[in-house]
C-alpha cells in the first residue's frame, strides 16, 4: 500500500523533491562573479571591487527558494601563484571545486576567450565529477552576433578539453536578465535534501569577516593603484557599549588596517588623517546597514612587514 501512494504522489509535478547544495562561480578577475552572486542573493554579500583577488574569504550567499536552497561559495580567483599567499589560495580553490555540487564558469561576453580562461578551463577539466555550467556575463555590452560567436567558442573550448558543459547560459546581472533562469538551471544539479540553513540567512560568514571586508573595500577605494592588495583588515573586537539604554544600543568595533611597509601608512591615513577618517565614515555606514545597529568604529593602521609572504602573519590574518 505504502509503495502505491508514494508512486501516485511523485507523478504530480508539485511534489518535486526539495534540493539543497553548493555552487561556486569561477572566472578571471572582473568576470562578474561577485555581481552575479549579489544578483542571485538579492543583497550585497560578496565584496565587489574592480580589483582582482579582493574576495579572499569563502563568502557564501544563500538563495532561498520554495523548491531549493542554493548556497554560493565564493572562491578566490585561481591564478598563477607568485607568492606563498598565491599558492595557498590556489589550493583552497581546488579543494573547493572538488567539494561543491556545481561550478559556474563566468566568461564576459565582451572579451574574447584568452589564456586566463583556458588556464581555468583546463583546471576544471581535471575535476571530473562536478557538473560545470558556462555563464556568459555582461551580455548587455554586446550585440547578438558577438554573443552567438562567444557561445560557440565556449562550446568548442569544452570539446577541446574533453568535457561537456551541463549548460551554457547568457546573463546580464546588471540588467537582471536571466538571473532567475540561471537559478532554475543550477537547482536541478543539486542533490535532493532539506534546507541546510535557516530561512533568514543570506550568508554564513562570521560578521567580523564581513565587517573586515567592508573596511578593506573602503580603504582600497581611490588608492588601488598604489596599494593593490597589500591591505589586510582584522576586526580585533566587537563589544556592545555598556551603560546604554536598551532602545539606544551602540556597538564598539575595534579594527586594525594592516599594511606591508611604513611608506604605505601615509597613503592610507592621508593628509591630516583625512583619508582614514573618510574610510571610517564610509565603512561605518555600511556596517550599520549590515548589522542594523549604531556603531562606533575605531580604526588603527599597523605595519605587518611583508605579510603576504610570511606564513605566521598569514595565519594570524586569517588565511
Amino acid at each position: 500500500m505504502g509503495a502505491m501512494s508514494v508512486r501516485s504522489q511523485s507523478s504530480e509535478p508539485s511534489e518535486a523533491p526539495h534540493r539543497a547544495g553548493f555552487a561556486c562561480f569561477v572566472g578571471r578577475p572582473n568576470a562578474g562573479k561577485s555581481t552575479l552572486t549579489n544578483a542571485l542573493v538579492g543583497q550585497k554579500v560578496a565584496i565587489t571591487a574592480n580589483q582582482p583577488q579582493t574576495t579572499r574569504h569563502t563568502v557564501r550567499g544563500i538563495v532561498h527558494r520554495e523548491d531549493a536552497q542554493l548556497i554560493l561559495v565564493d572562491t578566490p580567483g585561481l591564478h598563477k601563484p607568485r607568492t606563498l599567499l598565491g599558492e595557498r589560495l590556489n589550493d583552497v580553490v581546488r579543494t573547493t571545486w572538488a567539494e561543491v555540487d556545481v561550478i559556474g564558469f563566468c566568461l564576459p561576453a565582451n572579451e574574447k576567450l584568452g589564456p586566463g580562461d583556458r588556464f581555468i578551463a583546463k583546471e576544471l577539466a581535471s575535476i571530473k565529477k562536478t557538473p560545470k555550467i558556462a555563464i556568459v556575463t555582461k551580455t548587455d555590452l554586446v550585440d547578438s552576433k558577438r554573443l552567438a560567436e562567444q557561445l560557440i567558442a565556449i562550446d568548442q573550448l569544452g570539446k577541446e578539453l574533453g568535457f561537456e558543459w551541463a549548460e551554457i547560459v547568457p546573463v546580464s546581472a546588471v540588467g537582471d536578465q536571466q538571473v532567475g533562469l540561471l537559478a532554475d538551471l543550477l537547482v536541478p544539479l543539486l542533490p535532493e535534501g532539506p534546507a541546510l540553513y535557516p530561512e533568514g540567512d543570506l550568508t554564513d560568514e562570521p560578521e567580523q569577516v564581513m565587517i573586515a571586508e567592508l573596511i578593506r573595500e573602503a580603504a582600497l577605494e581611490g588608492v588601488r593603484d598604489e596599494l593593490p592588495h597589500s591591505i589586510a583588515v582584522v576586526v580585533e573586537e566587537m563589544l556592545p557599549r555598556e551603560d546604554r539604554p536598551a532602545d539606544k544600543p551602540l556597538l564598539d568595533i575595534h579594527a586594525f588596517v594592516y599594511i606591508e611597509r611604513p611608506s604605505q601608512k601615509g597613503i592610507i591615513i592621508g593628509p591630516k588623517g583625512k583619508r582614514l577618517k573618510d574610510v571610517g565614515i564610509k565603512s561605518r555606514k555600511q556596517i550599520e546597514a549590515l548589522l542594523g545597529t549604531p556603531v562606533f568604529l575605531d580604526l588603527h593602521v599597523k605595519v605587518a612587514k611583508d605579510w603576504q609572504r610570511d606564513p605566521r602573519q598569514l595565519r594570524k590574518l586569517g588565511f
Side-chain angles (χ1 to χ4, degrees):
M1 179 64 212
M4 288 291 296
S5 64
V6 170
R7 207 169 286 133
S8 65
Q9 240 181 346
S10 62
S11 65
E12 290 171 24
S14 64
E15 287 299 316
H18 186 278
R19 294 177 180 272
F22 296 83
C24 73
F25 296 143
V26 303
R28 284 182 296 128
N30 284 337
K33 303 182 290 284
S34 297
T35 314
L36 198 55
T37 302
N38 298 336
L40 277 164
V41 176
Q43 189 153 334
K44 185 169 170 172
V45 277
I47 301 301
T48 51
N50 47 6
Q51 181 68 23
Q53 278 111 46
T54 40
T55 325
R56 280 252 179 74
H57 297 274
T58 307
V59 177
R60 295 181 173 85
I62 303 171
V63 183
H64 299 276
R65 294 168 44 128
E66 284 292 299
D67 59 338
Q69 188 176 67
L70 173 66
I71 299 139
L72 303 170
V73 185
D74 213 22
T75 52
L78 185 84
H79 54 288
K80 298 197 168 77
R82 287 189 306 275
T83 59
L84 178 68
L85 175 64
E87 274 171 44
R88 194 167 295 182
L89 290 180
N90 280 358
D91 292 344
V92 171
V93 173
R94 289 195 189 86
T95 353
T96 307
W97 289 4
E99 286 166 1
V100 295
D101 301 300
V102 54
I103 300 171
F105 184 15
C106 297
L107 299 132
N110 61 334
E111 294 174 34
K112 280 204 153 60
L113 299 186
D117 298 315
R118 276 172 201 286
F119 177 67
I120 296 173
K122 254 201 198 87
E123 291 287 337
L124 285 178
S126 67
I127 295 168
K128 299 274 187 272
K129 286 214 260 305
T130 318
K132 304 156 198 63
I133 286 188
I135 304 166
V136 188
T137 58
K138 310 189 182 184
T139 53
D140 47 306
L141 303 179
V142 297
D143 59 18
S144 53
K145 180 173 175 287
R146 179 76 195 88
L147 180 59
E149 287 165 6
Q150 188 74 323
L151 296 175
I152 294 165
I154 291 168
D155 188 44
Q156 283 305 117
L157 181 62
K159 291 200 172 78
E160 252 170 69
L161 295 170
F163 70 88
E164 188 73 43
W165 298 106
E167 306 276 354
I168 301 178
V169 203
V171 297
S172 160
V174 178
D176 206 23
Q177 283 157 336
Q178 295 195 280
V179 174
L181 169 70
L182 173 62
D184 292 341
L185 295 172
L186 289 167
V187 165
L189 299 169
L190 304 177
E192 292 180 17
L196 302 165
Y197 287 89
E199 181 72 55
D201 289 9
L202 287 174
T203 171
D204 82 337
E205 271 295 273
E207 284 170 345
Q208 262 147 299
V209 175
M210 290 184 75
I211 289 166
E213 281 287 319
L214 289 172
I215 296 170
R216 185 165 180 272
E217 189 184 6
L220 275 171
E221 212 157 279
V223 296
R224 290 184 198 286
D225 304 338
E226 300 156 272
L227 309 171
H229 32 95
S230 39
I231 295 185
V233 175
V234 175
V235 173
E236 289 286 323
E237 54 178 12
M238 292 169 50
L239 298 164
R241 177 83 56 94
E242 285 178 14
D243 64 28
R244 297 281 292 199
D247 58 344
K248 290 218 173 95
L250 182 68
L251 188 64
D252 283 316
I253 298 179
H254 300 278
F256 289 104
V257 178
Y258 285 97
I259 47 180
E260 289 189 293
R261 293 185 291 283
S263 61
Q264 299 170 332
K265 213 167 178 171
I267 302 175
I268 285 285
I269 293 173
K272 298 206 171 107
K274 186 175 176 333
R275 263 213 94 247
L276 190 63
K277 199 175 163 189
D278 291 346
V279 169
I281 292 168
K282 182 168 194 263
S283 49
R284 193 192 77 230
K285 286 196 181 118
Q286 294 185 320
I287 294 164
E288 291 182 334
L290 175 77
L291 301 177
T293 174
V295 161
F296 174 80
L297 180 60
D298 178 39
L299 279 187
H300 291 278
V301 179
K302 277 189 164 182
V303 179
K305 244 171 92 55
D306 292 328
W307 62 264
Q308 295 198 2
R309 293 173 196 284
D310 175 350
R312 206 173 44 95
Q313 299 269 19
L314 280 175
R315 267 200 305 281
K316 184 178 167 216
L317 298 172
F319 300 118

